[in-house]
Amino acid sequence: MKIAGANVLLTGAAGGIGQVLARRLTDAGADLIVTSRDSDALRSLAADLGARCVPADLADPHDLTALAERCGDVDIVVANAAKPASGDLFDYTPDEVDRALTVNLRSSVMLARLLAPAMVEAGRGHLAFIGSVAGMLATPHSSLYSATKFGLRGFAHALRQDLHPSGVGVSLVQPGIVGDAGMFEKTGVPVPKGMRTVTAGQVADAVVNSIEENRAEVNVAPAEIKVLCALALQFPSAAAWIQRQQPPDNTTQQIAEAQRALR
């Protein structure tokens, strides 16, 4: 799928990673539509890039449906929107649980349901979902977030098989810890000791490559994380044991507190 000249919808565009993605897609020649619930930041970004902006809260079913109706002619969807959802599950209210599940998983499923039929009819198009290595590797204090990302991974791979005969591609890009954008950059919380990070630019490059090469899955993470993820998929108990051998520190608690403030 060629990005140049294509109509591209990017969700979560006002966030740190989203803004880098927006610029990278524009540089690749996309006719870009950006969406986010942060309408002020979204309009500023759209004006800067010459993109079309459609503010929407993906946790609101009416907003999501209206977004799909206004963007029915898109050739490519990059589903990047996500909410922080780490921390103890017991600290989340039922409404917060619903919002995390809706934004991180349901919105991607519904955008595919609403926008992919026109792509199938045209015989071309692409759906790119931004997941996380948390969709392969379960870590402490991430049950809710992992639930959304494990679900997104299964959805993307199954949908790819369903749409393969139609000429519509489906890709999943799964970053590790992004150090220069997103939660860590925004809050100043330190990255867990011994964990190497990736950049938002690496994630954006992986998204462009996954669309243009129709790659099923691209994992943007240091080698040691990729190895641990591969182990976790086959031997989850062994991967959990390895994680428990790490020296304890208070970083996990700091991350949970920072994400609580961002809900």
Side-chain angles (χ1 to χ4, degrees):
M1 184 73 197
K2 297 258 185 217
I3 294 175
N7 294 322
V8 181
L9 171 64
L10 170 65
T11 71
I17 296 172
Q19 293 193 31
V20 175
L21 272 169
R23 296 180 189 282
R24 183 67 180 85
L25 291 165
T26 300
D27 289 344
D31 185 358
L32 189 63
I33 306 168
V34 290
T35 186
S36 168
R37 67 173 179 155
D38 186 344
S39 57
D40 290 339
L42 188 69
R43 291 189 178 95
S44 175
L45 176 68
D48 187 30
L49 297 179
R52 176 182 162 200
C53 75
V54 183
D57 181 354
L58 297 186
D60 184 331
H62 299 292
D63 269 20
L64 189 145
T65 301
L67 172 68
E69 289 174 350
R70 294 181 64 182
C71 303
D73 61 343
V74 295
D75 305 300
I76 298 169
V77 175
V78 180
N80 168 66
K83 281 191 64 61
S86 293
D88 192 329
L89 178 64
F90 301 160
D91 289 339
Y92 282 78
T93 67
D95 285 345
E96 288 173 336
V97 170
D98 285 343
R99 186 172 183 87
L101 292 172
T102 299
V103 174
N104 293 12
L105 180 56
R106 185 183 184 276
S107 69
S108 292
V109 174
M110 289 305 300
L111 283 175
R113 170 63 186 86
L114 295 170
L115 295 174
M119 298 180 190
V120 171
E121 185 175 351
R124 62 190 295 274
H126 202 94
L127 303 165
F129 300 104
I130 312 304
S132 167
V133 295
M136 298 182 289
L137 174 65
T139 57
H141 308 292
S142 70
S143 59
L144 180 56
Y145 187 69
S146 288
T148 65
K149 296 305 182 180
F150 268 78
L152 186 63
R153 184 172 189 265
F155 173 72
H157 283 301
L159 185 64
R160 178 180 172 88
Q161 293 190 48
D162 293 342
L163 296 184
H164 183 267
S166 72
V168 177
V170 179
S171 297
L172 178 70
V173 177
Q174 301 189 122
I177 296 174
V178 180
D180 64 343
M183 194 273 292
F184 287 97
E185 186 274 336
K186 187 173 183 178
T187 65
V189 172
V191 174
K193 291 180 181 178
M195 299 290 288
R196 292 195 294 157
T197 63
V198 297
T199 67
Q202 288 175 294
V203 177
D205 287 343
V207 171
V208 168
N209 178 262
S210 73
I211 294 169
E212 294 187 335
E213 300 297 329
N214 191 23
R215 299 185 62 183
E217 182 174 305
V218 182
N219 299 317
V220 187
E224 64 272 16
I225 299 299
K226 291 181 179 179
V227 170
L228 189 57
C229 286
L231 178 68
L233 290 173
Q234 293 295 322
F235 306 103
S237 294
W241 181 86
I242 290 172
Q243 293 179 74
R244 288 195 295 271
Q245 307 316 301
Q246 301 302 313
D249 60 46
N250 65 349
T251 304
T252 300
Q253 183 61 32
Q254 292 180 51
I255 293 171
E257 291 174 356
Q259 292 211 354
R260 188 178 298 113
L262 295 174
R263 290 179 199 168

